[in-house]
Amino acid sequence: MPVRATLKVLAGCLVGVLCAGGVARAQEAPLDPLTATEIETTFQVLDASGRVPQGAFFPIVSLNEPPKSDVLAWSPGHALRREAFAQVYDRPANRLYEAVVDLRAKRLLSFVERPGAQPAVFDDEYSAADVAVRADPRWRRAMARRGIDADDVFLDVWAAGDVGLPRGAEHTRLLRALSFYAGGLPNPYDRPIEGVMVTVDANRMRVIDVLDTGPRPVNRTATDVTARPGPGLAPLIVTQPDGPGFQIHGSDVSWQGWHFRVGFNPREGVVLYEVGHERDGRMRPIIYRLALDEIYVPYALPDPTWSWRSALDVGEYNLGQFLEELQPGVDVPTNAVFLDEATPSDHGSRGDPPAIPLHHGVALYERDTGMLLDRTDPATGERLVQPGRELVVTSSMVNGNYTYAVDYVFRLDGGLDVLAGATGTLLTRGVATKSIGDAFGTLVAPSIAAPSHQHFFNFRVDFDVDGVRNRLIQADTRTVPSVAGNGFDADESVVSREGFRDADPLADRRWVVESTTERGALGNPTAYELEPLVSTPPYSQASYPPLQHAAFAQHALWATRYADDQLSAVGDHPNQGAAGDGLPADVADRANIDGRDLVVWYTAGFTHEPTVEEYPVMTRETVGFSLRPDGFFDHNPML
Ligand SMILES: [Cu+2]
């Protein structure tokens, strides 16, 4: 998949807007993301330690988050540890090390080898694998067989996945490459060269296998992708003459009672910390940490050049580093405020620069959502009506043909919507049929078919509803026998141990996280409810190795007892990682979570049966879930 996007916005600015600078990060609070300076310091300390092998790569450098208990005990003005986590990868030796650096003392705290573990695909590999594939005579023959000049090909480098790996794969770092016809035309993703799959030994950086299942038609024409907002579309300019209605100090945001911190790391992208609500000077916690921790995208086509395609976009690629530069008037409204982030060069201090700026990587803006509540007094006709307003925290991350957008939408009524969207180019293939239907997918253009696939988004939600002691409840709606037949009721059951639960839209299934220490004015436990929006089960067989690996996608909801080191549904090292890492291991001891600090892992997803209209670019498809107060407040907080 690919290289960091260089900014060329095809749509252009709809209105002439100022491109003001974003808010540069300055480290103030314990969970603030690493600054560019801190990334450089990390590299300096590692260089000086004498532990880093010559020419090593640095697939990730990110904040080593302090233990939750330390953060909860922290108050502004007090010093808390400030540490960086860094991966160091010796490519020829296939050895991964993980280091922790004390940024204040500028000292190496630990440097540990992780035998058998692989880092995510890193920047250098996209170009190095490209060179290796081009030099391989088998791949060149495959192109020649199709009458294609090697110089006209774009190579798309992927993590190797879990299917059809060569013997001895567990001792070798692997990459795979797909071929597309570029030929000097825009966007090679429109022109797949079907039937060719290349496997690369990334330690020696040479091709070890080329699978060629035979030529199929290759589109060699440019696709007309002129975006048409249309000359008839009237200007729409959002202005806030007094500035934004939210306050932002460093990473700390407050708006209409809401408080939270906007964090970032190069793996997950935006992370929200310490989400809470304040009323009458009392701050009440709701969520300690919230992030999109993994995406899983399996393709349905039973063909050996496709069956391995099952990206784990977050953990196999460090998706967060691909934050797109957001444009006012295009990605976000013109009243948006931006945050700038920084991500490490995989070349460390040899990088130019060592810390790569991600300008306007995150945006916050308020939007008008029309009427939020309305009621009319039947006697006087008097209306109580209130317009809706939302605060959106958004970012977009580009990984190859897809762009993933994550929105956190804060509402005046205490609700929070968590949304993931997918847009971009469908992964397509050349087919011999010109105009009839296509098994396992859709014919989207003459001789081009888009295979069916699914997108699963796992969000890790570390609830702290009025404190760390919480209870998880599953609520189904059931028919209750009654004389007239009208009876139905909510059937609630406590999820008292670690494990998983399935979605059940027919039962209107939802989950409630309540405090076991606080009660509302009516004696009820204070609580927040998780309501599924769009979701889908996986349709591949249970035995499909990528689904075994992405076990989180097998069930809509998982619950674990809080642990500082459990941040990923697929574990820390999913690239060439083992099935069973992450959630299956985390819940294995079925620990008691009732009245404890619990974490909810929810998967939203959609099944993508492509349509003709989605070629060559699909409009954004959004899925997610809603969090709604359920007795958390004594009345609607906007009244
Ligand atoms: Cu899709």
Side-chain angles (χ1 to χ4, degrees):
M1 292 198 193
V3 278
R4 195 167 281 113
T6 51
L7 180 72
K8 286 184 209 104
V9 176
L10 288 173
C13 278
L14 293 175
V15 285
V17 288
L18 52 145
C19 286
V23 178
R25 295 289 204 167
Q27 192 271 314
E28 290 160 355
L31 296 168
D32 287 355
L34 293 188
T35 64
T37 308
E38 289 177 321
I39 292 170
E40 288 169 17
T41 301
T42 306
F43 289 141
Q44 287 156 11
V45 171
L46 286 167
D47 289 349
S49 74
R51 304 290 295 272
V52 176
Q54 187 75 30
F57 293 95
F58 302 85
I60 195 167
V61 176
S62 61
L63 174 70
N64 194 45
E65 294 184 17
K68 180 174 176 178
S69 52
D70 289 4
V71 176
L72 293 179
W74 177 83
S75 58
H78 292 77
L80 193 61
R81 67 173 89 181
R82 186 69 181 164
E83 296 170 356
F85 166 83
Q87 285 186 331
V88 179
Y89 184 61
D90 182 344
R91 181 153 77 191
N94 193 23
R95 287 174 190 273
L96 176 66
Y97 304 90
E98 292 182 337
V100 175
V101 168
D102 181 334
L103 290 164
R104 294 225 172 82
K106 297 190 170 38
R107 197 164 64 87
L108 185 66
L109 293 176
S110 64
F111 194 89
V112 179
E113 189 180 349
R114 301 284 180 215
Q118 292 289 343
V121 181
F122 53 91
D123 200 38
D124 183 82
E125 295 184 307
Y126 296 107
S127 48
D130 184 287
V131 171
V133 174
R134 277 177 209 287
D136 184 78
R138 289 161 291 183
W139 177 81
R140 298 184 78 87
R141 269 199 301 278
M143 293 304 110
R145 200 177 161 195
R146 290 159 173 81
I148 291 171
D149 186 330
D151 292 339
D152 281 332
V153 177
F154 168 77
L155 286 160
D156 201 24
V157 177
W158 285 52
D162 308 283
V163 175
L165 299 177
R167 212 175 317 166
E170 63 276 20
H171 305 299
T172 310
R173 180 167 174 83
L174 299 171
L175 297 168
R176 275 174 165 161
L178 301 174
S179 305
F180 294 83
Y181 183 79
L185 302 171
N187 209 328
Y189 287 127
D190 294 343
R191 292 174 297 278
I193 300 173
E194 184 61 13
V196 183
M197 178 186 82
V198 184
T199 305
V200 176
D201 171 341
N203 300 120
R204 285 154 206 86
M205 211 40 97
R206 63 169 187 236
V207 173
I208 51 175
D209 186 52
V210 176
L211 175 64
D212 184 352
T213 60
R216 255 59 59 83
V218 177
N219 174 26
R220 301 192 194 200
T221 59
T223 316
D224 178 12
V225 287
T226 313
R228 294 170 63 84
L233 205 56
L236 175 61
I237 299 166
V238 180
T239 59
Q240 291 191 287
D242 299 333
F246 54 90
Q247 288 77 48
I248 177 163
H249 302 290
S251 62
D252 191 45
V253 178
S254 56
W255 178 77
Q256 298 294 315
W258 285 105
H259 279 263
F260 55 93
R261 292 181 183 279
V262 184
F264 165 81
N265 68 62
R267 178 162 169 156
E268 301 160 287
V270 169
V271 181
L272 296 187
Y273 295 105
E274 299 189 282
V275 179
H277 208 277
E278 183 183 1
R279 202 176 171 86
D280 305 325
R282 180 178 168 228
M283 178 73 82
R284 299 171 62 194
I286 300 166
I287 295 169
Y288 177 72
R289 190 186 193 280
L290 171 57
L292 171 63
D293 74 279
E294 196 50 275
I295 303 174
Y296 166 57
V297 187
Y299 285 79
L301 190 70
D303 173 292
T305 67
W306 279 83
S307 54
W308 64 277
R309 302 188 199 189
S310 55
L312 296 170
D313 288 89
V314 176
E316 285 181 340
Y317 297 92
N318 285 336
L319 184 67
Q321 68 177 316
F322 299 118
L323 274 188
E324 216 167 18
E325 179 166 344
L326 300 172
Q327 300 290 298
V330 181
D331 298 279
V332 289
T334 48
N335 61 331
V337 170
F338 299 91
L339 294 172
D340 295 342
E341 306 295 353
T343 194
S345 162
D346 63 336
H347 285 69
S349 49
R350 312 189 302 278
D352 183 20
I356 299 159
L358 299 172
H359 188 63
H360 286 196
V362 185
L364 294 87
Y365 60 90
E366 286 178 282
R367 67 182 176 200
D368 185 320
T369 56
M371 183 268 288
L372 179 59
L373 66 80
D374 179 28
R375 71 169 192 162
T376 303
D377 187 315
T380 64
E382 199 176 331
R383 289 177 73 201
L384 174 69
V385 60
Q386 181 81 33
R389 180 76 71 85
E390 293 173 344
L391 173 61
V392 183
V393 180
T394 190
S395 60
S396 294
M397 298 166 286
V398 183
N399 192 14
N401 52 306
Y402 270 104
T403 300
Y404 291 112
V406 180
D407 288 348
Y408 296 105
V409 182
F410 294 85
R411 294 158 53 103
L412 294 171
D413 61 7
L416 169 58
D417 295 332
V418 179
L419 303 171
T423 175
T425 315
L426 298 169
L427 207 54
T428 56
R429 63 186 182 122
V431 289
T433 49
K434 276 194 158 36
S435 62
I436 56 165
D438 180 68
F440 302 107
T442 309
L443 196 79
V444 291
S447 301
I448 299 178
S452 304
H453 59 279
Q454 299 187 285
H455 299 255
F456 295 94
F457 303 88
N458 185 267
F459 285 90
R460 179 183 178 278
V461 194
D462 178 2
F463 281 101
D464 277 4
V465 177
D466 269 330
V468 296
R469 292 183 174 276
N470 286 172
R471 170 170 293 148
L472 176 63
I473 291 166
Q474 177 166 294
D476 290 352
T477 303
R478 302 219 182 277
T479 305
V480 175
S482 56
V483 175
N486 62 317
F488 63 86
D489 197 9
D491 179 18
E492 298 194 338
S493 58
V494 176
V495 181
S496 59
R497 297 202 166 267
E498 290 182 319
F500 48 77
R501 292 290 189 275
D502 290 311
D504 188 356
L506 296 183
D508 191 31
R509 179 166 294 170
R510 60 229 177 266
W511 290 276
V512 178
V513 178
E514 62 180 39
S515 170
T516 55
T517 51
E518 296 292 317
R519 291 192 174 259
L522 303 175
N524 58 295
T526 62
Y528 258 78
E529 195 173 271
L530 188 159
E531 298 171 6
L533 298 172
V534 182
S535 205
T536 188
Y539 293 115
S540 43
Q541 287 168 224
S543 60
Y544 180 50
L547 180 57
Q548 296 272 311
H549 192 179
F552 68 87
Q554 297 169 11
H555 307 283
L557 180 131
W558 294 64
T560 58
R561 177 112 143 241
Y562 177 85
D564 279 326
D565 59 353
Q566 293 175 359
L567 293 175
S568 169
V570 290
D572 292 338
H573 306 102
N575 190 15
Q576 293 181 249
D581 287 354
L583 285 176
D586 298 345
V587 304
D589 63 355
R590 307 255 300 134
N592 179 22
I593 54 172
D594 194 37
R596 307 299 186 111
D597 190 357
L598 61 86
V599 178
V600 167
W601 311 67
Y602 181 76
T603 297
F606 68 98
T607 298
H608 195 172
E609 310 273 10
T611 62
V612 172
E613 290 83 352
E614 289 176 327
Y615 180 84
V617 56
M618 65 171 285
T619 50
R620 177 170 162 173
E621 180 88 18
T622 299
V623 298
F625 57 97
S626 295
L627 301 175
R628 293 287 182 266
D630 180 5
F632 184 80
F633 300 102
D634 290 338
H635 53 76
N636 187 325
M638 64 182 293
L639 298 179

